[in-house]
Amino acid sequence: MEEKAQDQDGMEQAEHDLLADLRRARRSLRLQDLDEPPVVVRLTSGQRIADAVATVMGSWSFIIVQSAILFVWITANLVGAIRGWDPYPFILLNLALSFQAAYAAPVLMMSQNRQQDIDRKAAENDYRINVKAELEIELLHEKIDRLRECEVLNLTEAVRMLTELLEQSASGARGSDAEGGLPS
């Protein structure tokens, strides 16, 4: 298995490049003139119509109203209130519903495609944010590890110095006991 080149931080060059790109993008966004209003995408009239149709057709009120109309249509034709207008196989009703479906499906697809583009851009942005957060956290872990290593080295040096002082004081105490214990 081929090993990837890593620098002293433990990160690959590609990760450093990506992190630098993300930082540059963040800085450029921060440096944009704050007086400028954010760019709002202008919808075409077709997009506005498609969204309005999708909003209406995707609601319970549409389903309820359409169901009521279908119920009245079928009942009126079965009871005979409207003689000969659309008898039992309801060919005219079938034609009307087919016409509605033929035009509604592409309009709904247009609205869904536009929403899908918005969702895709949001997902790409989320991904970039997550990658940046992961890299930043990795850098923080490395910094903490370096600090811990320095602290361990400092503590090791302090223990060594204290050990030497204890040995010196112990040897000094033995030497003074030896001098005090000899008869003069």
Side-chain angles (χ1 to χ4, degrees):
M1 186 171 176
E2 164 182 315
E3 293 213 13
K4 296 180 180 178
Q6 295 184 344
D7 61 3
Q8 73 273 4
D9 289 341
M11 290 179 56
E12 298 176 17
Q13 185 59 40
E15 291 173 329
H16 276 290
D17 294 343
L18 179 60
L19 189 57
D21 289 344
L22 292 171
R23 284 180 178 157
R24 270 193 298 277
R26 184 183 66 206
R27 283 188 198 112
S28 69
L29 288 175
R30 258 195 255 140
L31 296 176
Q32 283 180 349
D33 192 9
L34 297 177
D35 294 334
E36 291 180 20
V39 177
V40 178
V41 177
R42 297 298 250 170
L43 298 178
T44 65
S45 58
Q47 290 172 328
R48 284 194 303 273
I49 291 170
D51 287 346
V53 168
T55 301
V56 169
M57 291 188 82
S59 68
W60 276 107
S61 56
F62 175 79
I63 292 172
I64 292 168
V65 168
Q66 183 170 4
S67 298
I69 291 171
L70 292 175
F71 179 75
V72 168
W73 182 295
I74 292 171
T75 304
N77 281 292
L78 284 178
V79 171
I82 311 172
R83 287 228 178 254
W85 186 49
D86 191 19
Y88 167 63
F90 308 117
I91 295 172
L92 187 58
L93 177 62
N94 190 14
L95 178 66
L97 292 176
S98 297
F99 181 79
Q100 176 190 3
Y103 278 94
V107 171
L108 292 174
M109 289 300 294
M110 284 187 273
S111 180
Q112 284 179 340
N113 287 341
R114 197 177 64 72
Q115 186 61 45
Q116 183 180 11
D117 289 341
I118 292 169
D119 292 344
R120 183 183 42 76
K121 288 177 185 174
E124 286 174 3
N125 189 40
D126 288 346
Y127 174 76
R128 291 174 61 93
I129 289 169
N130 290 339
V131 167
K132 181 178 179 288
E134 178 184 350
L135 293 173
E136 292 287 351
I137 289 170
E138 190 175 322
L139 284 174
L140 287 173
H141 278 290
E142 291 168 3
K143 287 178 183 178
I144 289 171
D145 289 344
R146 276 189 246 123
L147 286 172
R148 192 177 341 167
E149 287 173 8
C150 290
E151 190 64 28
V152 167
L153 288 174
N154 290 339
L155 287 174
T156 305
E157 181 63 24
V159 168
R160 188 190 58 76
M161 288 174 51
L162 286 173
T163 305
E164 287 177 3
L165 287 174
L166 281 173
E167 288 174 354
Q168 288 175 1
S169 66
S171 66
R174 273 186 253 133
S176 65
D177 283 345
E179 286 177 11
L182 289 176
S184 323

